[in-house]
Amino acid sequence: MTAARKPASSTPCLRVSPSGVHGLGAFATRDLPAQALLGLYEGRRYTAEQVAARKWNDQLTYLFMLSNEEIIDGGKGGNATRHLNHSCNPNCEAVEEYDEAGRLELRFQTLVPVEAGDELFIDYGLTADDGSSPADYPCHCGAENCRGTMLDLAPEAEPHPGLVAR
Ligand SMILES: [Zn+2]
Protein backbone atom coordinates (compact mmCIF):
# COMPACT_ATOMS: atom_id res chain seq x y z
CA MET A 1 0.00 0.00 0.00
CA THR A 2 1.43 3.36 -0.94
CA ALA A 3 -0.04 6.27 0.85
CA ALA A 4 0.40 9.63 -0.80
CA ARG A 5 2.34 11.90 1.46
CA LYS A 6 0.11 14.51 2.96
CA PRO A 7 1.45 17.99 2.42
CA ALA A 8 2.53 19.66 5.63
CA SER A 9 -0.30 21.69 7.05
CA SER A 10 -0.04 25.43 7.21
CA THR A 11 0.80 27.11 10.48
CA PRO A 12 -0.44 30.67 10.01
CA CYS A 13 0.53 31.71 13.55
CA LEU A 14 4.19 30.84 12.95
CA ARG A 15 6.96 32.56 11.02
CA VAL A 16 10.36 30.87 10.73
CA SER A 17 13.36 33.21 11.02
CA PRO A 18 16.87 33.21 12.43
CA SER A 19 16.67 32.78 16.19
CA GLY A 20 18.38 34.80 18.88
CA VAL A 21 19.18 31.51 20.62
CA HIS A 22 20.00 28.86 18.06
CA GLY A 23 19.75 28.48 14.28
CA LEU A 24 16.25 29.05 13.05
CA GLY A 25 13.38 29.75 15.37
CA ALA A 26 9.61 30.10 15.22
CA PHE A 27 8.02 33.46 15.91
CA ALA A 28 4.41 34.47 16.51
CA THR A 29 2.85 36.29 13.55
CA ARG A 30 0.13 37.79 15.73
CA ASP A 31 -0.83 38.31 19.35
CA LEU A 32 -2.06 35.02 20.80
CA PRO A 33 -3.83 34.13 24.03
CA ALA A 34 -2.73 31.23 26.22
CA GLN A 35 -3.61 27.76 24.88
CA ALA A 36 -3.76 28.99 21.28
CA LEU A 37 -3.12 26.23 18.75
CA LEU A 38 0.09 26.73 16.75
CA GLY A 39 -0.17 23.51 14.78
CA LEU A 40 0.22 19.76 15.05
CA TYR A 41 3.71 18.30 15.07
CA GLU A 42 3.74 16.44 11.78
CA GLY A 43 6.17 14.20 9.97
CA ARG A 44 6.94 10.61 9.21
CA ARG A 45 5.96 8.22 11.98
CA TYR A 46 8.05 5.37 13.29
CA THR A 47 7.51 2.70 15.90
CA ALA A 48 10.06 2.31 18.69
CA GLU A 49 11.39 -0.81 16.92
CA GLN A 50 11.85 1.02 13.62
CA VAL A 51 13.71 3.81 15.37
CA ALA A 52 16.04 1.41 17.15
CA ALA A 53 16.80 -0.41 13.88
CA ARG A 54 17.55 2.72 11.90
CA LYS A 55 20.76 4.72 11.57
CA TRP A 56 20.11 8.36 12.33
CA ASN A 57 21.99 11.36 11.14
CA ASP A 58 22.73 13.03 14.44
CA GLN A 59 23.38 16.49 13.03
CA LEU A 60 19.85 17.64 13.56
CA THR A 61 17.16 15.97 15.54
CA TYR A 62 13.49 16.46 14.95
CA LEU A 63 12.43 13.19 16.52
CA PHE A 64 9.58 13.63 18.92
CA MET A 65 8.59 10.63 21.01
CA LEU A 66 5.00 10.30 22.10
CA SER A 67 3.97 8.62 25.33
CA ASN A 68 2.96 5.51 23.35
CA GLU A 69 6.59 5.35 22.10
CA GLU A 70 5.60 6.24 18.57
CA ILE A 71 8.09 8.69 17.09
CA ILE A 72 7.39 11.57 14.72
CA ASP A 73 10.28 12.78 12.53
CA GLY A 74 9.46 16.42 11.87
CA GLY A 75 12.41 16.59 9.48
CA LYS A 76 10.39 14.51 6.98
CA GLY A 77 7.14 16.12 5.94
CA GLY A 78 6.94 18.28 9.03
CA ASN A 79 5.74 21.84 9.30
CA ALA A 80 7.02 24.99 11.00
CA THR A 81 6.36 23.60 14.50
CA ARG A 82 9.69 21.75 14.25
CA HIS A 83 11.51 25.09 14.39
CA LEU A 84 10.51 25.94 17.94
CA ASN A 85 13.66 26.14 20.00
CA HIS A 86 14.14 24.87 23.53
CA SER A 87 13.81 27.03 26.62
CA CYS A 88 13.84 26.04 30.27
CA ASN A 89 11.20 28.73 30.76
CA PRO A 90 9.05 28.12 27.68
CA ASN A 91 6.06 30.14 26.46
CA CYS A 92 4.62 27.14 24.58
CA GLU A 93 4.05 23.45 25.20
CA ALA A 94 3.45 20.20 23.35
CA VAL A 95 0.27 18.42 24.40
CA GLU A 96 -0.96 15.03 23.28
CA GLU A 97 -4.49 14.53 22.07
CA TYR A 98 -6.37 11.89 20.12
CA ASP A 99 -7.94 12.81 16.79
CA GLU A 100 -11.35 11.50 15.68
CA ALA A 101 -9.69 8.42 14.18
CA GLY A 102 -8.14 7.58 17.56
CA ARG A 103 -4.65 8.51 16.48
CA LEU A 104 -2.37 10.17 18.98
CA GLU A 105 -1.41 13.67 17.84
CA LEU A 106 0.98 16.20 19.28
CA ARG A 107 -0.52 19.65 19.55
CA PHE A 108 1.77 22.66 19.92
CA GLN A 109 0.09 25.47 21.79
CA THR A 110 0.94 28.60 23.73
CA LEU A 111 1.29 28.29 27.49
CA VAL A 112 0.91 32.00 28.15
CA PRO A 113 -0.25 34.95 26.07
CA VAL A 114 2.40 35.97 23.51
CA GLU A 115 2.79 39.04 21.33
CA ALA A 116 3.34 39.26 17.58
CA GLY A 117 7.06 38.89 16.92
CA ASP A 118 7.84 36.93 20.11
CA GLU A 119 10.05 33.90 19.63
CA LEU A 120 8.25 30.74 20.69
CA PHE A 121 9.84 28.02 22.79
CA ILE A 122 8.97 24.68 24.29
CA ASP A 123 10.85 22.61 26.84
CA TYR A 124 12.26 19.77 24.73
CA GLY A 125 12.37 17.42 27.71
CA LEU A 126 15.15 15.79 25.71
CA THR A 127 16.02 12.17 26.39
CA ALA A 128 19.15 10.36 25.27
CA ASP A 129 19.35 6.61 25.81
CA ASP A 130 23.04 6.39 24.96
CA GLY A 131 24.38 7.45 28.35
CA SER A 132 25.07 11.02 27.27
CA SER A 133 25.72 13.48 30.04
CA PRO A 134 23.73 16.71 30.46
CA ALA A 135 26.86 18.62 29.35
CA ASP A 136 26.56 16.99 25.92
CA TYR A 137 23.36 18.98 25.39
CA PRO A 138 24.10 22.39 26.87
CA CYS A 139 21.31 24.95 27.07
CA HIS A 140 21.89 28.62 26.36
CA CYS A 141 18.30 29.76 26.71
CA GLY A 142 19.25 32.49 29.19
CA ALA A 143 16.20 31.91 31.40
CA GLU A 144 16.65 32.68 35.09
CA ASN A 145 15.74 29.08 35.91
CA CYS A 146 17.91 27.59 33.12
CA ARG A 147 18.95 24.08 34.15
CA GLY A 148 22.01 24.27 31.89
CA THR A 149 21.02 21.40 29.63
CA MET A 150 18.24 20.52 27.23
CA LEU A 151 18.10 17.02 28.74
CA ASP A 152 15.19 16.19 30.97
CA LEU A 153 16.93 15.82 34.34
CA ALA A 154 13.92 14.58 36.24
CA PRO A 155 12.02 12.27 33.91
CA GLU A 156 8.53 11.86 35.21
CA ALA A 157 7.19 8.47 36.10
CA GLU A 158 4.36 9.05 33.64
CA PRO A 159 5.34 8.64 29.99
CA HIS A 160 5.28 12.06 28.37
CA PRO A 161 6.16 13.41 24.95
CA GLY A 162 9.67 14.73 24.42
CA LEU A 163 12.40 15.12 21.88
CA VAL A 164 14.85 12.25 21.55
CA ALA A 165 18.52 12.64 20.76
CA ARG A 166 19.96 10.27 18.18
ZN1 LIG B 1 17.97 26.62 29.60
Side-chain angles (χ1 to χ4, degrees):
M1 192 181 83
T2 51
R5 181 177 292 177
K6 252 193 337 187
S9 65
S10 66
T11 49
C13 301
L14 298 181
R15 177 172 57 82
V16 176
S17 293
S19 163
V21 178
H22 176 77
L24 292 173
F27 296 79
T29 56
R30 59 184 81 151
D31 294 354
L32 295 168
Q35 267 79 56
L37 174 67
L38 301 170
L40 297 178
Y41 196 80
E42 296 179 332
R44 190 192 280 191
R45 294 214 178 198
Y46 297 94
T47 64
E49 293 74 33
Q50 287 169 329
V51 165
R54 201 182 142 95
K55 281 246 175 283
W56 295 95
N57 169 353
D58 55 9
Q59 292 300 87
L60 272 178
T61 175
Y62 293 115
L63 302 180
F64 225 110
M65 189 186 288
L66 306 180
S67 58
N68 66 0
E69 296 202 327
E70 216 178 327
I71 287 184
I72 303 176
D73 181 3
K76 294 232 167 55
N79 59 26
T81 55
R82 73 176 188 275
H83 291 293
L84 267 77
N85 280 311
H86 166 88
S87 171
C88 299
N89 185 24
N91 51 10
C92 298
E93 62 181 342
V95 180
E96 292 182 326
E97 64 178 15
Y98 288 93
D99 68 9
E100 295 111 49
R103 189 162 100 135
L104 196 55
E105 299 278 15
L106 194 59
R107 175 191 161 99
F108 274 42
Q109 63 184 30
T110 54
L111 259 174
V112 294
V114 299
E115 291 179 17
D118 283 355
E119 183 165 0
L120 304 174
F121 299 95
I122 62 163
D123 186 331
Y124 282 176
L126 189 69
T127 57
D129 55 11
D130 59 358
S132 301
S133 80
D136 293 333
Y137 300 97
C139 180
H140 304 291
C141 74
E144 222 166 272
N145 61 344
C146 179
R147 59 182 188 262
T149 177
M150 295 188 286
L151 280 185
D152 187 355
L153 295 180
E156 299 151 48
E158 289 283 300
H160 63 290
L163 224 63
V164 281
R166 286 287 156 189

